[in-house]
Amino acid sequence: MITFIPLTGFLGAGKTTTMTAAALALQAQGRKVAVITNDQGVELVDTKLVRSKLDSVAEVTGGCFCCKFEDLVEAIVALVASDSVDTVIAEAVGSCTDLQATVVRPLRQYYGDDMVVAPLTTVVDPLRHLAFARAAERGEPESDLSYLFRQQVTEADVIAVNKLDTIKAGRAEELLDSLRTSNPKATVVGYSATTGARLETLLDAWQGPATNEDVVLDIDYDRYAAAEAQLAWMNQELDLTAAGDGFDATAWARTVLQELSGWAAEHDAVIGHAKITVETADGDFAKLSLTESGAQPTLDRAADAHAPAGRAVVNARVACEPDALDAAVTEAVKAADLAVAVTSSATTPVSFKPSYPRPVHRLAPAGA
């Protein structure tokens, strides 16, 4: 019998960091853990970083778990068969919701003899949550993205507030208490996946019951689709060659994201997330991420500063038109090439807006 741990949460909440940190913590307890990444596109930056830390990694691309349900099942079966794992942690696309009905219940109903499905966990970025809350307090109409975020929180068995180290301790406790009051059926925990602080509270929550498993979201799929369609999804690969003896892969990626951050702030474009990896010719790699317009990038992994060449992968999810995002990334790359003395050669960017969500299954609670 294996344990399947499903994660959801808005773009940039830190699902991948949470999944990786939790997997390592469970392995330290003697569990054999595999993870599954998920995205609407292909060429995932996060998969590269996860594979640098964990042995058993799979990905489901081209759609969320709800619309790629059989691909998810196949990935779980393959991991169990090849690596003899006893625990699988999987993170859904950051723009997906309604997972209780479309993923969790189908897994329990059709595969319950072979797996235990842990409580559905929604990973929350406290700053993103507070931004949406402030907009509501000002009486602003609820945006489609805020609507999507609210649905993700509403359906959670476990609300996992990540990045607690980014806000003051008193404010953090107020936020946790507020979420407990507004979501009485959920278990609310706070932690930092980056530092590991209080991560054990999340692991403990996964051992508890699924207290919100009977939830039925009052969800408007047209509005859900509209929220997803606000975001342009862009993936691109670039070959990088140093003009001199070597270049700083970390500095190049940081410059690209700084330029993109400034562009998004200038154009009032919400950044879901933007992530870059640069793999150097000697096999080292840098990884940086950005989750807020006007903010500085976060360094997830640094690479050697003197690489003769490299290959970059850019994943960007931004609330704008795909053509605008393509142009913004192109200009950001030009600025980075100039700043770091690099010549770049890019593939044609794959930019799109997600199609209408059409789940393979959508089950009501037992007895409903």
Side-chain angles (χ1 to χ4, degrees):
M1 183 73 74
I2 67 167
T3 298
F4 178 78
I5 303 171
L7 304 183
T8 184
F10 200 74
L11 295 157
K15 295 185 298 297
T16 304
T17 309
T18 294
M19 180 171 66
T20 304
L24 292 171
L26 290 171
Q27 285 183 168
Q29 296 176 5
R31 306 279 285 274
K32 179 69 172 176
V33 185
V35 301
I36 303 175
T37 59
N38 178 218
D39 198 81
Q40 299 278 8
V42 296
E43 292 297 335
L44 307 186
V45 165
D46 285 334
T47 303
K48 177 76 176 178
L49 181 64
V50 174
R51 283 182 173 146
S52 73
K53 298 183 178 183
L54 299 169
D55 294 329
S56 300
V57 181
E59 60 182 16
V60 173
T61 60
C64 187
F65 292 147
C66 61
C67 300
K68 294 278 187 175
F69 184 81
E70 298 305 330
D71 291 9
L72 171 62
V73 173
E74 289 176 7
I76 296 170
V77 171
L79 288 169
V80 172
S82 62
D83 295 333
S84 301
V85 303
D86 56 42
T87 304
V88 177
I89 309 175
E91 55 158 340
V93 174
S95 61
C96 192
T97 190
D98 204 24
L99 292 184
Q100 290 277 16
T102 64
V103 176
V104 173
R105 288 181 198 130
L107 284 175
R108 287 178 178 149
Q109 179 165 324
Y110 302 129
Y111 300 96
D113 291 339
D114 300 309
M115 72 172 70
V116 173
V117 181
L120 175 64
T121 296
T122 297
V123 181
V124 172
D125 178 336
L127 296 178
R128 182 91 68 182
H129 175 80
L130 291 169
F132 283 138
R134 283 194 295 270
E137 290 168 0
R138 291 193 296 266
E140 296 178 11
E142 185 180 51
S143 69
D144 289 335
L145 290 177
S146 180
Y147 172 81
L148 175 61
F149 179 88
R150 177 167 59 84
Q151 299 291 347
Q152 291 177 335
V153 173
T154 298
E155 72 170 335
D157 293 305
V158 176
I159 299 172
V161 183
N162 187 20
K163 307 181 186 180
L164 274 196
D165 52 321
T166 63
I167 59 177
K168 294 180 179 180
R171 189 71 184 92
E173 293 307 318
E174 288 178 7
L175 173 58
L176 295 177
D177 288 342
S178 173
L179 284 167
R180 291 183 181 111
T181 299
S182 57
N183 300 274
K185 287 191 174 182
T187 298
V188 179
V189 299
Y191 64 101
S192 168
T194 300
T195 67
R198 299 168 63 171
L199 184 63
E200 69 280 356
T201 62
L202 178 59
L203 304 185
D204 290 343
W206 290 343
Q207 302 300 315
T211 52
N212 201 24
E213 62 182 338
D214 292 335
V215 65
V216 177
L217 287 185
D218 180 18
I219 186 167
D220 179 340
Y221 260 69
D222 289 339
R223 192 172 186 192
Y224 171 16
E228 287 201 298
Q230 282 191 22
L231 295 164
W233 298 61
M234 182 264 204
N235 297 334
Q236 187 172 45
E237 295 182 70
L238 305 99
D239 289 318
L240 309 177
T241 304
D245 294 334
F247 80 103
D248 188 333
T250 305
W252 183 89
R254 179 179 288 111
T255 303
V256 172
L257 291 181
Q258 286 173 335
E259 293 290 321
L260 184 60
S261 178
W263 173 87
E266 181 182 350
H267 291 80
D268 198 26
V270 174
I271 292 179
H273 73 231
K275 303 178 182 182
I276 298 178
T277 57
V278 183
E279 184 172 8
T280 60
D282 60 3
D284 194 10
F285 75 93
K287 193 259 181 174
L288 292 91
S289 57
L290 178 70
T291 59
E292 183 181 357
S293 304
Q296 287 296 310
T298 299
L299 176 63
D300 301 303
R301 174 175 166 137
D304 184 79
H306 300 288
R311 188 168 182 81
V313 176
V314 180
N315 296 162
R317 319 302 186 224
V318 182
C320 64
E321 292 302 311
D323 289 349
L325 181 56
D326 289 349
V329 172
T330 296
E331 291 304 311
V333 167
K334 288 179 181 178
D337 289 353
L338 183 63
V340 187
V342 162
T343 299
S344 65
S345 175
T347 62
T348 301
V350 178
S351 303
F352 62 94
K353 291 198 171 187
S355 59
Y356 197 97
R358 301 187 186 280
V360 176
H361 306 283
R362 191 163 189 258
L363 304 184

